[in-house]
Amino acid sequence: MKKIAYIPYKLNNNEYCELNINMLSEIYDVVPICKKCEFLENPFRYVFRKEYDSIIINWHENALRGNNGEFSLTGFAKCFLYVLLYRIMARRVVYVRHNIYPHHMYGWRAKLATRLTSFLADLASLKVTHSGHLLRQGYKYIPHPLYEISVTSGDGILSSKGMADYFVMFGSIARYKNISDVIRNWNSCKKLVIAGRCDEIGYLNELQDLAKGKNVEIVNRFLDKIEAQELVSKSSGLILAQVDKEMIVSGSFFYAASLGVPVIAIETPFLLWLSTEIGFDGLTTYKTIGELVESVSKNISSQLASREAIRNRANELFGDSAVKNVWQTILGNVEK
């Protein structure tokens, strides 16, 4: 059976790696990359015998960001050397590109990181991404997996607050998500629930001031899986207002799709590709936040696809079978 090294093998509070590893493990022998000491003890095993058939690397470009969003030359040098080493250690190196450039980089630093991330991806045997809008740049498309959904729900935040008809913005509360602009434009009689942990006290205070007198509630804490599932699944829809130049896809979109929840969003290259070229009825996009909020006020809920239709289409496009089939096409048959 082919041996696949997956990097990172474990990542706290990140279900993505676990989902992919579990699916790949049904087909291949998936293992963490060897430790430095193991490599130094027996380099012959890892280099000349090609211990791994494939090495899959994720978020490698994050090392290009240093402290306070500065560009890290040391981080780039390490990434460059690691990719070259992986090319020696494995028959195939797959670079999964999650971001155009690392988060919280701006100006010339972001432009430089973009070019160097592309350079690192080109060093690999194969570069893949979760959005088809990058196919023209030589990337292979692989579906982003759906998230695991619990069968039961508990006495989460809804039961205690008695919310009925509401829209939700879920995940970490951060400036790049344009939450402040949504609150500023919010004039709907329907409730807006913003849930997640905010690490920037100044920004949280700003949001709370904007929310005064509006039908907006901010839940500033980490939600466990059951609470998060209950909050999103019982909402009228998930709102995505960020226009991230650096991010290729949004994990929140796939979380909503896993639950069959409609997504109302600002256009991004990925969402535009999904809605126009692939077709996904559970997605409605707008060019501006003003247009998005106005649509909510006009009772957009009655125009959205059914939960069952969204789940069925999501499973067709991003379900386990779809993901495993593409991985198997990329990595080849089970036997060496």
Side-chain angles (χ1 to χ4, degrees):
M1 181 178 288
K2 287 183 176 180
K3 182 179 285 188
I4 309 294
Y6 195 93
I7 305 171
Y9 194 77
K10 288 185 178 180
L11 197 60
N12 291 334
N13 298 322
N14 191 313
E15 199 177 339
Y16 172 88
C17 292
E18 182 181 349
L19 290 169
N20 272 301
I21 289 170
N22 288 342
M23 281 187 280
L24 287 167
S25 295
E26 296 178 16
I27 311 170
Y28 308 104
D29 178 20
V30 184
V31 298
I33 196 75
C34 66
K35 296 178 180 178
K36 292 179 183 178
C37 58
E38 295 172 336
F39 177 82
L40 293 174
E41 285 177 1
N42 191 356
F44 176 83
R45 170 186 172 186
Y46 293 100
V47 175
F48 298 105
R49 290 179 54 192
K50 298 286 185 183
E51 177 74 7
Y52 307 109
D53 181 83
S54 299
I55 296 176
I56 301 171
I57 51 180
N58 295 272
W59 295 291
H60 208 53
E61 63 273 7
N62 283 354
L64 274 61
R65 184 189 65 233
N67 296 328
N68 301 318
E70 294 294 327
F71 173 75
S72 173
L73 182 60
T74 302
F76 168 71
K78 287 182 178 178
C79 286
F80 174 71
L81 293 174
Y82 270 123
V83 175
L84 291 183
L85 179 60
Y86 294 154
R87 288 296 304 261
I88 297 172
M89 294 171 64
R91 292 176 173 81
R92 182 190 299 105
V93 174
V94 181
Y95 192 108
V96 184
R97 187 166 188 173
H98 295 274
N99 298 302
I100 301 300
Y101 55 88
H103 292 303
H104 310 302
M105 295 186 77
Y106 307 97
W108 68 267
R109 298 170 182 84
K111 292 180 181 178
L112 178 59
T114 298
R115 290 179 177 273
L116 293 179
T117 299
S118 297
F119 172 73
L120 291 171
D122 287 337
L123 284 180
S125 316
L126 189 67
K127 53 184 183 180
V128 304
T129 188
H130 293 309
S131 178
H133 80 276
L134 291 176
L135 295 182
R136 296 182 186 89
Q137 298 181 29
Y139 287 84
K140 299 288 185 182
Y141 168 71
I142 185 164
H144 187 293
L146 297 175
Y147 291 95
E148 292 183 353
I149 302 303
S150 302
V151 177
T152 59
S153 62
D155 298 327
I157 93 180
L158 292 187
S159 56
S160 62
K161 299 188 179 296
M163 293 180 290
D165 192 4
Y166 65 95
F167 288 82
V168 65
M169 298 183 76
F170 167 72
S172 61
I173 298 175
R175 289 185 182 274
Y176 76 89
K177 294 188 176 182
N178 289 333
I179 299 171
S180 58
D181 287 342
V182 174
I183 297 176
R184 196 174 285 112
N185 283 272
W186 196 262
N187 56 9
S188 174
C189 60
K190 297 189 178 183
K191 194 176 190 73
L192 172 64
V193 181
I194 301 159
R197 189 172 64 187
C198 183
D199 294 327
E200 187 183 343
I201 298 300
Y203 184 56
L204 178 63
N205 291 336
E206 178 184 328
L207 296 180
Q208 290 171 334
D209 288 340
L210 287 170
K212 288 178 180 177
K214 297 194 174 189
N215 199 7
V216 175
E217 179 167 356
I218 300 173
V219 182
N220 175 33
R221 64 178 175 85
F222 176 79
L223 272 59
D224 64 34
K225 291 181 70 172
I226 296 298
E227 286 182 311
Q229 179 177 319
E230 183 188 23
L231 177 68
V232 177
S233 65
K234 293 184 179 179
S235 71
S236 296
L238 177 80
I239 293 176
L240 295 176
Q242 61 260 41
V243 187
D244 295 327
K245 294 181 179 179
E246 72 268 28
M247 195 161 66
I248 295 173
V249 302
S250 168
S252 296
F253 166 81
F254 294 100
Y255 186 72
S258 303
L259 291 165
V261 172
V263 174
I264 304 99
I266 297 298
E267 282 184 3
T268 65
F270 162 66
L271 294 177
L272 196 59
W273 168 78
L274 184 61
S275 61
T276 58
E277 296 190 35
I278 302 301
F280 189 79
D281 291 338
L283 172 65
T284 308
T285 61
Y286 299 90
K287 292 186 180 297
T288 69
I289 290 176
E291 292 174 349
L292 185 154
V293 173
E294 184 180 1
S295 73
V296 172
S297 301
K298 292 181 178 178
N299 197 27
I300 188 178
S301 302
S302 62
Q303 306 168 26
L304 300 175
S306 70
R307 307 282 169 126
E308 183 179 3
I310 294 173
R311 279 193 295 266
N312 289 340
R313 183 60 171 154
N315 280 319
E316 179 185 343
L317 294 174
F318 315 113
D320 288 2
S321 295
V323 177
K324 285 189 288 188
N325 286 341
V326 176
W327 270 126
Q328 196 159 11
T329 300
I330 289 172
L331 300 177
N333 295 325
V334 177
E335 299 300 327
K336 287 187 178 181

